[in-house]
Amino acid sequence: MSATDATGFSVADIAAAAGRIAGQAAVTPLLSSDVLDARIGGRVLLKPEALQRTGSFKFRGAFNRLSTIPESERKGGVVACSSGNHAQGVAAAAAILGMPAVIVMPQDAPAMKIARTRALGAEVVLYDRLTEDREAIARTIAGERTATFVHPYDDFGVMAGQGTVGLEIAGECRRLGIVPDLAMAPASGGGLVAGISTALTDAFPDVAVYAVEPEGFDDHVRSLAGGERLKNERLGGSLCDALMSNMPGEKTFPVNRRTLAGAVAVSDAEALAAVAFAFRELKLVLEPGGAVALAALLSGRIDGRGKTSVVVLSGGNVDEAVLARALAENPA
Amino acid sequence: MSATDATGFSVADIAAAAGRIAGQAAVTPLLSSDVLDARIGGRVLLKPEALQRTGSFKFRGAFNRLSTIPESERKGGVVACSSGNHAQGVAAAAAILGMPAVIVMPQDAPAMKIARTRALGAEVVLYDRLTEDREAIARTIAGERTATFVHPYDDFGVMAGQGTVGLEIAGECRRLGIVPDLAMAPASGGGLVAGISTALTDAFPDVAVYAVEPEGFDDHVRSLAGGERLKNERLGGSLCDALMSNMPGEKTFPVNRRTLAGAVAVSDAEALAAVAFAFRELKLVLEPGGAVALAALLSGRIDGRGKTSVVVLSGGNVDEAVLARALAENPA
């Protein structure tokens, strides 16, 4: 089951991460909604990581990764690049561990994500998403300051932290005597879904786990179909600002090839409809990128009829204008 | 501990209700937020009943009460009066139990609450809050149709159902090894807080439980101080549409006199600030009336510094214009 030999990553890494983040990250609940069940025609279990510290799952991976930085290297701090959720996760983890943090963020990141990252004590460096390479900027800063670069997904420590979402889902399903048929989680570079699928397929060998992406950023859809890592042509322009990575990760893709049943893409309109549904019926605040797995189910792109589905709601750091647009475009 | 002799109501009623609603009502989680803890300077545990079926705690009391209607009397159905949350709770419970439901609602109830009540299959009868007596209208309809009148709070079956919120809080606190110092819940007629305070003071004899009301509808504040049930002068005009009962209940008040440490009132502005805080920091959608207990803590009207406080977030059925106003009046 723990095939570390093939990919270097296994459920044991996730279990170790769970120990490190205990008491710092929230154990988020597994929710259900009779309205959603009726709408889908199946049983749906929701894992709302919008309720996680900093408003997304990213704190888990960040805190786990930063916890493993040796004491002697902590003074130099950490550097990360992110449109805003990894940014807040790293900033919060660094603050707890007493490390300085520099975050490289795109100029077009949601204003509230930039403000929240600064409020957590991080130094924010802005770049142009269309003309500059954020990772190169971050690695240069890391070199200058002898800081540790914390990749948003292509890092076993980060992947293991995100995988604790799956470990919690598996534990709660076992407690409730539920064996899920399907599970779905948003994917950008694929760290979250790699961690979750590793934990869930270990606990439930027959569960079919899907990565869900925004249209135009469907690199997992195409890469899984093609058997190799393929790039997106677009560099920006999705409402799902959290899910605009350029291609699957070098470390995440071999894991996801082994553990995923597939990947699907949803439109911005479908993501906004899911944001509106979550607001009205689930009473949860989600950002579009955090709602794509719910969108896959609501839109029928993944068929949940007669099944038990687990849906990861990965983040809730939505710009208020975007929430207003979601409600206006999807009248009650 | 179970002083049924004095008030006719005890924790045994609540335990029986928990058995009846199991599998129908959601067991809502107990959440925490590092941002809220830091803001208050204490530990805060949140019980988000906005995540309950129909978007408020009211389903608990309604389903428990309706479950006790004898089979022979079910055909006549049920009648209730409510500004919208009890309405939805009764409508949903009646639908599950196969009973017709008529709900008497004020003309100025939030449009979404009227729509959601109708969507649950209930017949809605509108009245004028300022000139008509809703309970008289409802009791007349009940007589005409041989339907069972389901009071929104002044009914031991309803109070017991709402008390399951407290039973769940107590169970989760015990599991986590936490002894709460303070607890606070919204009060209109006082059914929810009567149930919660009965369950919590049974589990934790030293906990101080507070009712929280909107300004102008502070009948519990004045009645507890005066030692008798006192009416509100106002009949409408609060943003907390869920909390505009005229006075404490005949059955709820003796319970609350025995179990509550006190009551406080918050302004509409403080309730809106709590709605905005919940949206931005907790990622929860709350209505103003559902947020008043949080408002009491955030405003400092109840001092949570150095304490462990339990805050009941009782409902999330907010009109979208009200949410927009809350965000606009409380810029990030």
Side-chain angles (χ1 to χ4, degrees):
Chain A
M1 302 293 274
S2 302
T4 26
D5 49 324
T7 62
F9 182 70
S10 83
V11 74
D13 299 307
I14 302 171
R20 287 189 204 102
I21 70 171
Q24 296 293 345
V27 175
T28 53
L30 203 58
L31 304 175
S32 63
S33 154
D34 63 300
V35 175
L36 179 57
D37 287 358
R39 168 82 175 266
I40 298 304
R43 182 174 193 175
V44 184
L45 302 166
L46 300 163
K47 184 68 170 173
E49 283 294 299
L51 306 181
Q52 185 54 262
R53 195 164 186 156
T54 71
S56 90
F57 70 97
K58 288 285 193 179
F59 177 77
R60 297 175 184 261
F63 191 83
N64 182 55
R65 177 66 185 85
L66 267 60
S67 298
T68 63
I69 297 174
E71 200 61 52
S72 61
E73 295 171 23
R74 291 194 180 183
K75 212 169 53 189
V78 290
V79 180
C81 42
S82 162
S83 77
N85 284 336
H86 180 59
Q88 293 171 70
V90 169
I96 293 167
L97 295 168
M99 299 167 73
V102 180
I103 315 288
V104 180
M105 300 183 74
Q107 284 160 350
D108 65 351
M112 64 97 74
K113 288 186 174 176
I114 296 173
R116 288 169 65 97
T117 302
R118 287 190 171 127
L120 287 163
E123 179 187 339
V124 172
V125 173
L126 298 175
Y127 77 99
D128 183 333
R129 191 194 291 275
L130 302 181
T131 60
E132 296 184 275
D133 178 352
R134 68 178 190 173
E135 216 171 300
I137 298 169
R139 289 193 187 274
T140 301
I141 295 171
E144 286 165 6
R145 308 198 187 190
T146 38
T148 304
F149 176 70
V150 182
H151 198 281
Y153 52 85
D154 223 3
D155 178 311
F156 288 145
V158 170
M159 291 158 65
Q162 323 305 31
T164 60
V165 174
L167 217 56
E168 289 176 15
I169 293 168
E172 188 67 1
C173 282
R174 280 208 198 90
R175 194 182 72 79
L176 297 168
I178 294 169
V179 177
D181 302 304
L182 305 173
M184 53 213 80
S188 184
L192 174 65
V193 78
I196 287 175
S197 58
T198 296
L200 284 185
T201 56
D202 180 74
F204 306 108
D206 295 332
V207 67
V209 186
Y210 290 85
V212 185
E213 303 180 298
E215 276 180 5
F217 294 87
D218 60 344
D219 45 307
H220 281 88
V221 174
R222 292 179 293 104
S223 299
L224 288 171
E228 59 175 333
R229 295 161 63 218
L230 298 172
K231 282 193 181 184
N232 296 312
E233 284 185 16
R234 287 171 68 183
L235 295 171
S238 171
L239 271 175
C240 301
D241 60 273
L243 304 181
M244 297 199 291
S245 281
N246 189 234
M247 64 189 299
E250 202 176 327
K251 292 194 170 69
T252 59
F253 188 61
V255 173
N256 283 325
R257 275 193 80 177
R258 190 184 63 192
T259 54
L260 292 187
V264 301
V266 301
S267 68
D268 271 4
E270 288 165 341
L272 285 180
V275 168
F277 181 91
F279 180 91
R280 294 201 185 101
E281 300 297 343
L282 309 176
K283 310 302 179 187
L284 293 174
V285 179
L286 298 182
E287 58 186 285
V292 293
L294 178 61
L297 208 56
L298 287 172
S299 66
R301 289 179 185 264
I302 295 177
D303 185 354
R305 284 176 297 174
K307 309 277 189 186
T308 296
S309 301
V310 175
V311 176
V312 178
L313 308 170
S314 57
N317 292 317
V318 66
D319 249 1
E320 287 156 27
V322 172
L323 188 272
R325 179 175 159 189
L327 297 177
E329 291 184 8
N330 296 277
Chain B
M1 305 293 274
S2 303
T4 26
D5 50 324
T7 62
F9 182 71
S10 81
V11 73
D13 300 308
I14 302 171
R20 289 189 203 100
I21 70 172
Q24 296 292 347
V27 176
T28 53
L30 203 57
L31 304 174
S32 63
S33 154
D34 63 300
V35 175
L36 179 57
D37 287 357
R39 169 83 175 266
I40 298 304
R43 182 174 191 174
V44 184
L45 302 166
L46 300 162
K47 183 69 169 171
E49 282 295 299
L51 306 181
Q52 184 55 261
R53 196 165 183 155
T54 72
S56 90
F57 69 98
K58 289 284 193 181
F59 176 77
R60 296 174 184 261
F63 191 84
N64 183 55
R65 176 66 185 85
L66 268 60
S67 299
T68 64
I69 297 174
E71 200 60 53
S72 61
E73 295 172 23
R74 290 195 181 182
K75 212 169 52 189
V78 291
V79 181
C81 42
S82 161
S83 78
N85 284 336
H86 180 57
Q88 292 171 69
V90 170
I96 292 167
L97 295 168
M99 299 168 74
V102 181
I103 315 287
V104 181
M105 301 183 72
Q107 285 161 349
D108 65 350
M112 62 96 75
K113 288 185 175 177
I114 296 174
R116 288 169 65 96
T117 303
R118 287 190 171 127
L120 287 163
E123 179 186 340
V124 172
V125 174
L126 298 175
Y127 77 100
D128 182 333
R129 190 195 291 275
L130 302 180
T131 62
E132 296 184 275
D133 177 352
R134 67 178 191 175
E135 217 171 299
I137 298 169
R139 290 194 188 274
T140 301
I141 295 171
E144 288 165 6
R145 309 199 187 189
T146 36
T148 304
F149 176 70
V150 181
H151 199 281
Y153 52 86
D154 223 4
D155 179 310
F156 288 147
V158 171
M159 290 158 65
Q162 324 304 31
T164 60
V165 173
L167 218 55
E168 289 176 14
I169 293 168
E172 188 68 1
C173 282
R174 279 207 199 90
R175 194 181 71 78
L176 297 169
I178 293 170
V179 176
D181 302 304
L182 305 173
M184 55 212 79
S188 183
L192 173 65
V193 77
I196 288 174
S197 59
T198 297
L200 284 185
T201 56
D202 180 75
F204 306 109
D206 294 332
V207 68
V209 186
Y210 290 85
V212 185
E213 304 180 298
E215 276 180 5
F217 295 86
D218 61 342
D219 45 306
H220 281 89
V221 174
R222 291 178 295 103
S223 299
L224 288 171
E228 59 175 334
R229 295 161 62 220
L230 299 171
K231 282 193 182 185
N232 296 312
E233 286 185 15
R234 287 171 68 182
L235 294 171
S238 172
L239 271 176
C240 301
D241 61 274
L243 304 180
M244 297 198 292
S245 283
N246 191 233
M247 65 191 297
E250 204 177 324
K251 291 195 171 70
T252 59
F253 188 61
V255 173
N256 283 324
R257 274 193 82 179
R258 191 185 63 194
T259 54
L260 292 187
V264 301
V266 301
S267 68
D268 271 4
E270 287 165 343
L272 286 180
V275 168
F277 181 90
F279 179 91
R280 294 202 185 102
E281 300 297 343
L282 309 177
K283 309 303 178 187
L284 293 173
V285 179
L286 297 181
E287 58 186 283
V292 293
L294 178 61
L297 208 55
L298 286 172
S299 66
R301 289 179 186 264
I302 295 177
D303 185 354
R305 285 176 296 175
K307 309 278 189 188
T308 296
S309 300
V310 175
V311 176
V312 178
L313 308 170
S314 57
N317 292 316
V318 66
D319 250 2
E320 288 156 26
V322 173
L323 189 272
R325 180 176 158 190
L327 297 177
E329 291 185 8
N330 296 277

